Amino acid sequence: MSDDRLRMTPGPTAVPAAVRDRMAEPTPNPDVEPEFFEFYRDLTDDLGAIYGDDDIVILGGEGILGLEAAVASLVEPGDRVLCIANGPYGEGFADFVESYDGEAVVCDSPWRDSIDLAAVESHLTDGSFDVATMVHCETPTGVLNDLEPVLDLLEDHGVISVVDAVSSLGGTAVPTDRIDVCLGASQKCFSAPPGLTVASVSDRAWATIESFETRGFYTDLEPWRDAADEEWFPYTHLSANLYGLGAAIDLLLEEGLETVFERHERAARRCRERAADLGLSVYPDDARPSPTVTALEVPGRAEALQRTLADDHDVVLATGLGDLADDVLRVGHMGHNARVDRVERTMDALATVLEE
C-alpha cells in the first residue's frame, strides 16, 4: 500500500525500508536455536557501541516497560527515591515508585525550565536516598536536560541514578558512562517499530538488583544479566522486532554517531528558524531545546492544526499532553526523520495552515 503521509511525531518515528525488509525475513525460534542467541549477543554489542561498556539488556515491551522495570528491580518497600522532574515523565516515575511501596520524593521544576540543580542539592543534603530518577529529554515539552551536574550530585551522595533517555538516545549525546540504569526504546531515535526497551545497567545497579527478590516477573531485570550467555530468555523474545532493531542500529553505526548527532542538530535548528519566521514561540523558556523534538506554542489551536495538517497535507504532528494538549504542537525531528528536507515540508504545510 502506498502511503505518502509524513509522520513527524516524536515517536514512533518513520521506519526505513531496510528495517521493514529485515523484519519480514524468516527468523529462528528464539528459545531453541543457537543462532538467535548469537544474533542477540551481536545486537547487544552493537548497542554497547552507543551506550558504552555497561551491560546491555533488551526487554520485550515498549519503553514504559523499562521505566517500570528499573523501579521494580531497584526499589524495595520503604526505599526513598528522589524523582527529579520538570515534565510529565519525570513526575510519572513517582507513580511507579509508590506502586512498589517505595517512598517517592518529587523534586519539581517548572515544565518550561531545566532541572533546578539547587533544589536537587537541597533535597540530597536534607535527606537520604537510595535511588534517583530523571528524564534526559522531556518529549511533551521539548526540554533537554543537562544531566552532568545532576549526576555529579548523585555521585557525591552515593545515590543510584536511573535516566529515561528514551527520546534522546541515538539522537544526541547522553552521558551513559555515568548513569547506573539508562533507558532507551526502539521507536524513537533508532527508528525501529515500537515494542522493545533497551537498557544499560552498571555493576553498582546489578549489585542492588541482585540483593533482593523483585515482586514482579516481567519487570525483573535480574534474569537478563546472564540470559544471552546462558542461552535462556525469561520469556519468548520478540524475534522480528529484534531483527528490525538490529537493522536500525546497523544504519546508525554505518552513518556514525557524530554524523547522526549533527544531522539532528541541523534539523532542529531549521525547525526553530522556520517557527520563528512564522511568529511561533518554542515552549521551553530558559531550558535547552531538544535536538530531537520541538514544542511550539499555539494556545488553544493544537488539536485543530493537527487535524488539518493530517487531512489536507498528509503531515502528522503530535499535540501536547495533559494541560498542554491543545496549547502545544510538537514536531518530531528524530531518527530517520531528522532531515532538513522533511522539516521543510512540515513547516511549509504548517505555514499554509496558519494562513488559512
Side-chain angles (χ1 to χ4, degrees), residues 252-271:
L252 191 153
L253 294 178
E254 286 169 10
E255 185 176 355
L257 282 177
E258 291 305 318
T259 303
V260 170
F261 296 165
E262 290 168 4
R263 175 163 57 79
H264 279 76
E265 289 288 352
R266 286 196 301 273
R269 184 166 55 250
R270 186 56 183 154
C271 185

Side-chain angles (χ1 to χ4, degrees), residues 215-337:
R215 287 183 291 168
F217 176 79
Y218 210 74
T219 54
D220 189 1
L221 291 175
E222 183 174 358
W224 291 94
R225 185 172 194 181
D226 301 316
D229 292 336
E230 295 180 358
E231 299 196 348
W232 174 86
F233 291 125
Y235 46 78
T236 299
H237 223 317
L238 283 64
S239 52
N241 286 68
L242 286 164
Y243 272 32
L245 178 60
I249 298 303
D250 285 344
L251 292 174
L252 191 153
L253 294 178
E254 286 169 10
E255 185 176 355
L257 282 177
E258 291 305 318
T259 303
V260 170
F261 296 165
E262 290 168 4
R263 175 163 57 79
H264 279 76
E265 289 288 352
R266 286 196 301 273
R269 184 166 55 250
R270 186 56 183 154
C271 185
R272 294 192 292 267
E273 289 171 352
R274 290 294 307 273
D277 292 342
L278 296 175
L280 298 176
S281 298
V282 176
Y283 180 78
D285 281 343
D286 299 327
R288 299 183 303 163
S290 171
T292 63
V293 55
T294 295
L296 303 173
E297 291 197 79
V298 288
R301 303 181 64 191
E303 294 172 356
L305 291 171
Q306 181 191 47
R307 286 193 300 271
T308 304
L309 285 164
D311 293 344
D312 297 348
H313 299 274
D314 281 335
V315 173
V316 182
L317 301 185
T319 61
L321 298 180
D323 293 341
L324 298 178
D326 201 27
D327 296 330
V328 165
L329 194 64
R330 294 182 292 149
V331 182
H333 33 75
M334 62 171 61
H336 193 59
N337 279 340

Side-chain angles (χ1 to χ4, degrees), residues 64-142:
I64 291 293
L65 171 63
L67 277 62
E68 181 173 357
V71 172
S73 301
L74 287 167
V75 178
E76 290 188 88
D79 282 354
R80 300 188 79 231
V81 179
L82 183 62
C83 299
I84 303 167
N86 62 329
Y89 284 107
E91 293 172 0
F93 264 118
D95 295 330
F96 290 129
V97 172
E98 292 169 355
S99 294
Y100 289 90
D101 295 328
E103 180 186 347
V105 178
V106 179
C107 177
D108 258 330
S109 301
W111 285 15
R112 288 181 180 273
D113 299 336
S114 298
I115 290 172
D116 186 339
L117 192 62
V120 174
E121 185 170 19
S122 176
H123 276 85
L124 291 170
T125 301
D126 294 341
S128 175
F129 293 94
D130 303 285
V131 176
T133 63
M134 71 197 90
V135 177
H136 190 204
C137 172
E138 271 286 359
T139 327
T141 62

Side-chain angles (χ1 to χ4, degrees), residues 151-167:
L151 294 169
D152 286 341
L153 290 173
L154 298 180
E155 188 64 34
D156 290 344
H157 289 81
V159 179
I160 290 176
S161 56
V162 175
V163 173
D164 169 357
V166 168
S167 296

